[in-house]
Amino acid sequence: MTRDEFLNRLGELLACLPADQVKETQEFYAEAIADRMEDGMTEAEAVAAMGTPGEVAEATLDELPAVPRAIARTKRKSTALLWALAIVGSPVWIPLLLAFVAVAAAVYICIWVLALCVWIVAAAFGGAGLVGLLFAVDGIIIGHVPYVLASMGMGFASIGVALLTGAGAWTASKQIARLSALWAKKAVSPFWKDQGNKSRMGAEAAPLTA
Amino acid sequence: MEAQMKRGFLEACVLAAVSGEESYGYQIVKDVPASMGLTESTLYPLLKRLEKAGCITARSAEHNGRLRRYYRITDAGRERIAEFLAEWPSVQEIYRYVEGAHHDAR
């Protein structure tokens, strides 16, 4: 196989990827072949050292997240097949996709309802505190000193608790924002991969703990 | 070699290969120990991944009338190498345990 044959075939096999990624991949292998030829290999030897275009395409597609990879693999076999599967399979994959979105949304809402509960408790204490102070004002109007003191005490105590709970709610919200960001990342991972965080240096520890 | 384990080793090897002078595809393939069996089709996705993770940077430069892509490690990449090396004592401990158990059983 010549260099150009190899690169063209690779381009065909990767046609499911964006054009710039295909070009970049072809450039990488063109460089590798040129470097091997500079090192004294013949063109055929250098091309053979790359592996078959099929293997090379497979290795490139392996890096994609699950869903685009499955689409790319099917499309590679035949575009018609992909469309046929998409249409024939629509009674299956559309409800599945909807269910997936619904579950993702439900988990997201559940996470935030927790934070909302704490905020509501804080608001309730705040409200009770204000009413207590209002009672104290009433007490002043009727001139009943013990009632004024008791109401003011209740009011300030409630406001104090509200402030404490509010601070807790704030911290909890920040934590939940972090959690929900993590969850969102997990939810989209079959479709879109944040490659930077996916690859782990400590991979060799994984089989030992698995 | 177990696949996950090999992945970690390969990543460390490629980072090590670009940790001194900047290097290019074929040179990296030649530099990495032969026992890793590194080929271009393994290297390319790995370089993309490392670049995306900010562990290496790449630039194109002319070589013999064509463009060649050169890679160099970043501070984040060096940190990864350090993490990899820091795991050695625990790996050793596990090997010692397996070795010991294997001997005792015989």
Side-chain angles (χ1 to χ4, degrees), chain A:
Chain A
M1 199 185 265
T2 69
R3 191 190 75 131
D4 290 343
E5 279 166 10
F6 175 87
L7 295 177
N8 287 337
R9 182 81 189 113
L10 184 60
E12 282 165 27
L13 290 173
L14 293 177
C16 48
L17 294 179
D20 58 327
Q21 274 184 44
V22 178
K23 193 164 162 276
E24 218 189 290
T25 312
Q26 285 173 318
E27 277 168 1
F28 179 86
Y29 286 98
E31 178 198 306
I33 292 168
D35 278 330
R36 278 176 191 264
M37 285 165 69
E38 244 172 56
D39 209 22
M41 284 190 189
T42 66
E43 186 174 345
E45 282 168 354
V47 171
M50 299 296 112
T52 68
E55 286 163 10
V56 171
E58 204 67 17
T60 310
L61 293 177
D62 263 345
E63 287 294 299
L64 293 174
V67 172
R69 188 172 60 215
I71 293 175
R73 290 235 160 96
T74 318
K75 199 171 158 194
R76 225 182 64 199
K77 281 184 193 120
S78 120
T79 312
L81 177 66
L82 178 69
W83 281 109
L85 280 179
I87 294 164
V88 173
S90 60
V92 177
W93 69 260
I94 291 177
L96 273 180
L97 188 67
L98 288 179
F100 184 86
V101 171
V103 169
V107 171
Y108 195 78
I109 291 168
C110 286
I111 293 174
W112 278 106
V113 161
L114 285 175
L116 191 63
C117 285
V118 188
W119 280 113
I120 289 172
V121 169
F125 272 112
L130 288 179
V131 170
L133 291 182
L134 217 67
F135 283 172
V137 173
D138 289 345
I140 292 170
I141 292 167
I142 59 167
H144 193 306
V145 178
Y147 180 75
V148 172
L149 287 178
S151 298
M152 260 172 63
M154 285 290 287
F156 282 126
S158 295
I159 289 173
V161 173
L163 289 177
L164 276 176
T165 323
W170 174 243
T171 321
S173 298
K174 275 198 295 192
Q175 286 295 321
I176 287 167
R178 204 175 51 82
L179 265 179
S180 59
L182 273 177
W183 163 248
K185 212 181 238 173
K186 253 215 158 79
V188 300
S189 65
F191 305 96
W192 181 81
K193 182 149 79 176
D194 184 5
Q195 293 189 316
N197 294 329
K198 276 274 156 129
S199 63
R200 296 189 316 119
M201 192 80 235
E204 58 275 288
L208 302 168
T209 53

Side-chain angles (χ1 to χ4, degrees), chain B residues 65-76:
Chain B
R66 60 189 171 89
L67 282 181
R68 198 191 244 167
R69 218 144 158 76
Y70 289 90
Y71 305 89
R72 164 173 283 168
I73 200 165
T74 64
D75 286 339

